[in-house]
Amino acid sequence: MQNKEHFLLIAGEPDKWDTEIREQAGSVGLVALQNAQFMDGRRGAILQPIRGGKAWIVTHDSSLVGFAPLCGMGATDKGTAIRCGVDWAEADPLKREFYARKQDVTPAEIEDAKRGA
């Protein structure tokens, strides 16, 4: 997860991927690098507000899979959506990351959701 200014990492361990992006970004195009990482199994997901923030979903963060929803297709509260995203990322933390925009979630909300509060 490169952009830590605007996003919070919730689950996963993207350090290896971030290092690879930094090392190769100058020698290959970004789209080619993203495609190569995708083919190697890297996946990302993001927490998304819907219905004006009254419900939440988790979607893939890539157009390579059509930004497909992972969970929360119905009306899901934020905590449930966070737990779903965490479960998804933790199933393969070296190849999956789950994050949110800083404007959409606080660290306290993340911790509460992880504890099941």
Side-chain angles (χ1 to χ4, degrees):
M1 189 192 81
Q2 294 275 321
N3 187 340
K4 294 178 182 170
E5 180 181 348
H6 299 286
F7 296 94
L8 286 172
L9 180 65
I10 298 173
E13 300 172 23
D15 293 341
K16 173 186 176 273
W17 297 97
D18 289 350
T19 299
E20 188 175 298
I21 287 172
R22 282 190 294 277
E23 290 173 352
Q24 296 182 18
S27 60
V28 273
L30 181 59
V31 172
L33 182 55
Q34 288 173 332
N35 281 325
Q37 287 188 343
F38 185 86
M39 295 306 293
D40 195 33
R42 180 175 188 197
R43 302 291 185 270
I46 185 167
L47 179 70
Q48 301 273 19
I50 57 174
R51 299 183 187 157
K54 294 179 181 166
W56 296 83
I57 61 171
V58 176
T59 65
H60 285 279
D61 68 352
S62 173
S63 62
L64 296 171
V65 289
F67 302 103
L70 289 166
C71 52
M73 286 299 296
T76 298
D77 66 86
K78 189 186 290 188
T80 300
I82 291 171
R83 283 189 300 278
C84 175
V86 168
D87 290 345
W88 174 83
E90 288 181 350
D92 191 358
L94 296 178
K95 295 224 178 197
R96 294 180 181 182
E97 65 181 347
F98 172 51
Y99 60 93
R101 289 175 199 84
K102 285 184 176 181
Q103 69 191 34
D104 290 337
V105 67
T106 66
E109 288 174 313
I110 293 168
E111 290 309 311
D112 286 348
K114 286 181 175 182
R115 284 194 317 265

